[in-house]
């Protein structure tokens, strides 16, 4: 390819030079210049038939039919003579002369040559224009990332360990006729460590590792992405065994539109096609494993997942409580942690956090501690960091009206009391009326572990806890506010799942009905479609469950009306009440209740 380019260049240069030389030769040779004096004498003798003037340059024909050229030092004196002798005159403006003339000839030529040069480099996939963006990780450069850096993903790790084995000694596997996998797709929500895992594979396998982001392939210029793919595979095949890693492959691997050529989409399709061609193109004798990562497996073109391409898919889920603890342990090593730090509790209080969230939490906690000039990061810093991450920054500067504060205090107290008094609920962690993010207050519960199954009682109690806030407001202030909209949304969602997904409603029965929800990994089509009539039944059932829960919650809060006032008062004074303080409030209340019972009994006895 390179040689062709050079030959082409030389050809072009020679042609250009040839044209210039030929032009000069034409001018110099075909019309031998006539001395001006001779021209004048011929003119006097009426021997000149016609002339063509171009500035001072004169070309023309004499009466004998011969062409001639000459140069006139002074046109203005010549004109009357030409007219007097009846010479036919044509004229045009003078051309650029000298260096300018030369430049005018050569400059466009140079431009064309330059453009062609760049274009051909582009086609052949050189480095000048497209840029070789793939990063080659050499196993020994920098800090080596290993599987030990990626915590809490035991299953995925085992599967990927196998990939590492393939790369380390491919013969062992191919000897028995097994086909070494070509493509492995890592899929999972953002921040679960897919990129990290790919780097760890490189670190473990000690083979060259070519990494490229999916968006690197998508360029302004059509064809560049495709040529980058080809370039990447050529390079990799030369260095087999090795790994190619395409991060965020959904950037190029999205479903193809199917022929509608539309700008960027067209470019993406070309790139994807090039990738498919390359993946089909190498045989099992070349040990190149293509790793890819995505958090949108649902939008990937099905062609990518066919056998011989990314036929191995490894799912990396959001970590559970044990996973979170392991990830915490990895990241806690990077900071100076206080001895009092209770890692299991941090892990328990961060359900739904991804690995990246946990890494961020540890970092934020360290920053919080540093801001307070502490020597070590303490539990309190983790609490604050978590609040900051979960709810957005504390809006301390937002002044809440006293009225709003009171409503919020009763609302949160309502949640807390229902949670505390009902059985089968998660223990309370803390209650606060400090506004954070968009929430006015917050009642936080700590799940004991990541439950995999829930009892019907647990679920309906969750609905009651959620409704507790709104109902407390209603009981005390006798009016409704918008502060409970999130609670109502969650409660409705839970009730709907209870009916449609978990088959826990008596009227509907244990049948799973389809709901419109975008589940991760595209499992949203679970359940059967249903008729209009069933839809009405489902609606009615959801409404009934919620209103039953509301009634029970209302009764509970009425019965413990005094506790509601007490807790709300504590909240108004302290703003935040943690689990221990909550216990004290409840304990005092129950003791009081007991005392009253006793007194009532004594009173009754006295009467009797
Ligand atoms: P993804 O590619 O899945 O979006 P990353 O690999 O970019 O996630 O993760 C971002 C960061 O989060 C990592 O650099 C690491 O610090 C942290 N992290 C994520 N998952 C884990 C894990 N399982 N173990 C340890 N750290 C993790
Ligand atoms: Mg990533
Ligand atoms: Zn609420």
């Amino acid at each position: 390819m390179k040689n062709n380019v050079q030959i082409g260049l030389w050809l072009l240069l020679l042609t250009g030079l040839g044209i210039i030389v030929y032009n000069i030769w034409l001018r110099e040779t075909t019309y031998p210049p006539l001395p001006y004096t001779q021209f004048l004498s011929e003119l006097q003798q009426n021997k000149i038939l016609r002339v063509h003037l171009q500035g001072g340059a004169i070309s023309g024909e004499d009466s004998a039919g011969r062409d001639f050229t000459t140069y006139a030092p002074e046109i203005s004196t010549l004109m009357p003579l030409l007219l007097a002798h009846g010479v036919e005159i044509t004229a045009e403006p003078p051309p650029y002369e000298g260096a300018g003339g030369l430049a005018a000839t050569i400059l466009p030529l140079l431009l064309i040559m330059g453009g062609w040069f760049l274009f051909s480099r582009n086609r052949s996939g050189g480095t000048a224009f497209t840029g070789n963006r793939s990063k080659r990780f050499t196993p020994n450069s920098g800090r080596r990332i290993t599987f030990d850096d990626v915590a809490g993903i035991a299953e995925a790790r085992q599967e990927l360990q196998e990939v590492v084995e393939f790369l380390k000694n491919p013969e062992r596997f191919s000897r028995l006729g097994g086909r070494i996998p070509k493509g492995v797709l890592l899929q999972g929500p953002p921040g679960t460590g897919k990129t990290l895992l790919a780097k760890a594979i490189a670190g473990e396998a000690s083979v060259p590792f070519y990494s490229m982001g999916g968006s690197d392939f998508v360029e302004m210029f059509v064809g560049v992405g495709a040529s980058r793919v080809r370039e990447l595979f050529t390079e990799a095949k030369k260095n087999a065994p090795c790994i190619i890693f395409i991060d965020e492959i959904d950037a190029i691997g999205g479903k193809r539109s199917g022929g509608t050529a539309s700008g960027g989409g067209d470019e993406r399709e070309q790139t994807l096609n090039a990738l498919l061609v390359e993946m089909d193109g190498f045989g099992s004798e070349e040990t190149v494993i293509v790793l890819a990562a995505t958090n949108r497996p649902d939008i990937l073109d099905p062609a990518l997942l066919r056998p011989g391409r990314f036929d191995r898919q490894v799912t990396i889920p959001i970590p559970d409580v044990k996973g979170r603890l392991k990830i915490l342990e990895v990241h806690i090593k990077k900071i100076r942690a206080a001895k009092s730090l209770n890692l299991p509790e941090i892990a328990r209080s961060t359900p739904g956090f991804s690995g990246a969230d946990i890494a961020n939490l540890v970092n934020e906690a360290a920053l919080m501690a540093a801001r307070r000039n502490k020597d070590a990061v303490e539990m309190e810093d983790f609490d604050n960091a978590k609040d900051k991450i979960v709810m957005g920054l504390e809006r301390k500067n937002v002044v809440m009206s006293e009225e709003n504060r009171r409503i919020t205090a009763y609302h949160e107290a309502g949640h807390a009391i229902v949670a505390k008094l009902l059985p089968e609920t998660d223990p309370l962690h803390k209650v606060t009326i400090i506004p954070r993010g968009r929430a006015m207050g917050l009642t936080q519960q700590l799940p004991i572990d990541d439950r995999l199954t829930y009892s019907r009682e647990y679920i309906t109690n969750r609905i009651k806890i959620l409704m507790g806030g709104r109902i407390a407001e209603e009981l005390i202030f006798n009016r409704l506010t918008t502060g409970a909209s999130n609670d109502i949304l969650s409660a409705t969602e839970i009730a709907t799942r209870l009916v449609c997904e978990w088959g826990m409603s008596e009227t509907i029965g244990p049948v799973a009905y389809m709901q419109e929800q975008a589940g991760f990994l595209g499992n949203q089509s679970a359940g059967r479609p249903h008729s209009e009539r069933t839809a009405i039944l489902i609606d009615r059932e959801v409404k009934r469950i919620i209103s039953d829960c509301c009634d029970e919650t209302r009764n509970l809060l009425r019965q413990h009306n005094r506790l509601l006032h007490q807790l709300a008062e504590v909240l108004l004074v302290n703003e935040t009440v943690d689990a221990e303080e909550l216990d004290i409030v409840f304990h005092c209340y129950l003791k009081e209740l007991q005392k009253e019972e006793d007194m009532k009994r004594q009173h009754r006895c006295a009467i009797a």
Side-chain angles (χ1 to χ4, degrees):
M1 212 50 186
K2 288 244 163 72
N3 276 341
N4 280 351
V5 174
Q6 270 181 358
I7 291 168
L9 268 178
W10 279 115
L11 273 177
L12 212 79
L13 206 71
L14 287 177
T15 322
L17 276 175
I19 291 169
I20 293 166
V21 169
Y22 177 69
N23 263 325
I24 294 169
W25 176 78
L26 265 182
R27 266 196 209 155
E28 302 294 341
T29 53
T30 48
Y31 308 108
L34 205 62
Y36 188 57
T37 44
Q38 195 185 337
F39 168 70
L40 279 183
S41 70
E42 287 193 19
L43 185 61
Q44 303 290 350
Q45 296 160 34
N46 284 330
K47 280 188 180 163
I48 301 297
L49 205 63
R50 57 175 70 95
V51 293
H52 180 77
L53 302 174
Q54 204 177 1
I58 300 166
S59 52
E61 192 187 336
D62 64 12
S63 47
R66 283 173 307 196
D67 290 334
F68 68 92
T69 62
T70 186
Y71 191 82
E74 183 55 309
I75 286 287
S76 52
T77 53
L78 178 64
M79 280 311 282
L81 282 174
L82 288 172
L83 291 170
H85 291 278
V87 179
E88 187 189 332
I89 305 168
T90 54
E92 67 176 291
Y96 293 109
E97 286 290 50
L102 197 66
T105 326
I106 291 178
L107 222 69
L109 205 69
L110 278 178
L111 281 177
I112 292 167
M113 268 166 47
W116 188 76
F117 174 71
L118 287 177
F119 178 71
S120 60
R121 296 278 290 193
N122 179 7
R123 286 270 103 165
S124 69
T127 49
F129 192 64
T130 61
N132 188 343
R133 297 268 193 81
S134 74
K135 273 176 279 168
R136 182 176 161 162
F137 285 93
T138 37
N140 301 321
S141 72
R143 201 184 76 82
R144 214 179 83 158
I145 294 172
T146 66
F147 279 146
D148 289 333
D149 293 301
V150 198
I153 42 151
E155 259 171 71
R157 180 177 165 162
Q158 205 176 348
E159 214 160 329
L160 293 170
Q161 182 67 49
E162 211 178 60
V163 172
V164 171
E165 295 301 323
F166 280 141
L167 287 163
K168 275 187 171 164
N169 40 58
E171 309 82 38
R172 203 176 87 200
F173 295 89
S174 52
R175 196 166 49 92
L176 303 177
R179 192 170 53 81
I180 287 169
K182 261 186 204 172
V184 181
L185 181 69
L186 305 174
Q187 55 185 27
T192 44
K194 299 181 293 295
T195 307
L196 188 68
L197 202 52
K199 286 181 189 163
I201 292 172
E204 294 278 338
S206 317
V207 297
F209 183 80
Y210 298 90
S211 141
M212 213 162 189
S215 51
D216 289 341
F217 292 118
V218 185
E219 289 281 332
M220 276 194 302
F221 303 102
V222 174
V224 173
S227 85
R228 280 211 182 124
V229 170
R230 286 191 286 270
E231 185 188 323
L232 185 63
F233 276 80
T234 315
E235 182 82 9
K237 275 188 260 184
K238 266 190 261 166
N239 293 291
C242 70
I243 296 174
I244 292 175
F245 175 51
I246 304 171
D247 208 354
E248 276 144 45
I249 194 173
D250 39 283
I252 48 166
K255 286 191 183 76
R256 281 168 295 184
S257 50
T260 50
S262 56
D266 194 35
E267 158 69 354
R268 222 198 50 198
E269 275 170 37
Q270 278 194 21
T271 311
L272 175 57
N273 286 335
L275 179 66
L276 295 177
V277 166
E278 289 297 333
M279 285 194 76
D280 292 342
F282 63 83
S284 49
E285 63 282 355
E286 287 150 319
T287 317
V288 177
I289 290 188
V290 188
L291 269 180
T294 182
N295 47 38
R296 297 296 312 277
D298 50 317
I299 63 160
L300 284 189
D301 196 296
L304 271 172
L305 308 178
R306 248 173 247 150
R309 291 166 184 170
F310 292 101
D311 45 6
R312 284 211 174 194
Q313 286 138 40
V314 179
T315 302
I316 305 177
I318 288 277
D320 64 359
V321 64
K322 284 193 211 114
R324 292 199 300 270
L325 182 58
K326 292 218 178 90
I327 297 171
L328 259 174
E329 280 163 356
V330 166
H331 288 279
I332 214 84
K333 285 184 202 140
K334 298 173 188 165
I335 64 168
R336 197 187 300 160
K339 284 210 182 66
S340 59
L341 221 52
N342 183 345
L343 293 188
E345 188 180 333
I346 299 173
R348 268 207 293 148
S349 68
T350 47
F353 273 45
S354 69
D357 291 332
I358 292 169
N360 186 21
L361 174 72
V362 172
N363 188 50
E364 280 293 336
L367 291 178
M368 294 255 177
R371 223 172 278 151
R372 284 168 202 173
N373 277 327
K374 290 185 187 173
D375 292 328
V377 188
E378 294 167 357
M379 209 58 190
E380 176 199 23
D381 304 311
F382 270 91
D383 266 346
N384 289 334
K386 190 174 63 201
D387 289 348
K388 185 178 163 188
I389 290 169
V390 172
M391 300 300 288
L393 275 167
E394 287 190 16
R395 289 189 303 174
K396 279 211 172 113
N397 46 350
V398 175
V399 195
M400 241 210 279
S401 74
E402 193 49 36
E403 171 83 350
N404 259 336
R405 254 171 59 90
R406 280 183 68 77
I407 293 175
T408 308
Y410 277 93
H411 178 106
E412 299 305 330
H415 285 311
I417 289 167
V418 178
K420 194 80 186 173
L421 294 179
L422 290 177
E424 280 212 52
T425 56
D426 295 321
L428 283 167
H429 180 55
K430 85 176 179 189
V431 185
T432 176
I433 58 167
I434 298 174
R436 283 153 220 267
R438 289 169 58 202
M440 301 298 270
L442 178 68
T443 299
Q444 236 180 344
Q445 286 175 277
L446 263 194
I448 297 169
D449 47 20
D450 289 32
R451 291 172 199 246
L452 287 175
T453 55
Y454 303 95
S455 67
R456 195 198 145 111
E457 183 156 31
Y458 176 90
I459 293 163
T460 46
N461 283 351
R462 258 249 39 95
I463 299 176
K464 289 176 206 164
I465 295 167
L466 284 164
M467 300 314 292
R470 146 70 60 104
I471 286 167
E473 286 182 46
E474 182 194 302
L475 285 177
I476 306 297
F477 303 98
N478 195 24
R479 56 173 207 181
L480 303 178
T481 68
T482 57
S485 58
N486 249 328
D487 297 336
I488 293 170
L489 189 75
S490 307
T492 312
E493 213 176 273
I494 293 171
T496 311
R497 291 182 73 186
L498 190 145
V499 173
C500 296
E501 204 178 317
W502 301 321
M504 285 179 180
S505 135
E506 289 89 2
T507 19
I508 303 286
V511 181
Y513 284 112
M514 201 144 81
Q515 299 171 67
E516 276 169 45
Q517 62 167 50
F520 178 68
L521 299 184
N523 55 356
Q524 62 265 61
S525 55
R528 54 183 301 237
H530 47 73
S531 65
E532 197 71 20
R533 230 188 80 222
T534 314
I536 294 171
L537 277 179
I538 289 174
D539 275 350
R540 203 177 287 159
E541 189 61 5
V542 168
K543 223 177 261 171
R544 190 191 61 78
I545 289 170
I546 290 182
S547 82
D548 281 1
C549 285
C550 280
D551 289 345
E552 282 175 49
T553 308
R554 197 171 290 114
N555 289 338
L556 190 73
L557 285 177
R558 268 211 190 102
Q559 194 188 332
H560 298 279
N561 184 293
R562 202 183 330 146
L563 177 58
L564 185 60
H565 283 295
Q566 281 171 0
L567 184 54
E569 282 312 317
V570 176
L571 273 170
L572 282 168
V573 174
N574 294 345
E575 294 201 325
T576 301
V577 181
D578 66 18
E580 233 170 280
E581 293 163 330
L582 276 167
D583 274 342
I584 294 170
V585 174
F586 279 91
H587 191 71
C588 289
Y589 171 72
L590 292 177
K591 244 172 141 181
E592 240 174 76
L593 219 60
Q594 190 68 46
K595 226 193 263 167
E596 276 166 30
E597 271 318 281
D598 290 348
M599 277 186 30
K600 260 186 214 156
R601 208 178 306 127
Q602 277 172 9
H603 192 64
R604 245 178 273 137
C605 289
I607 288 172

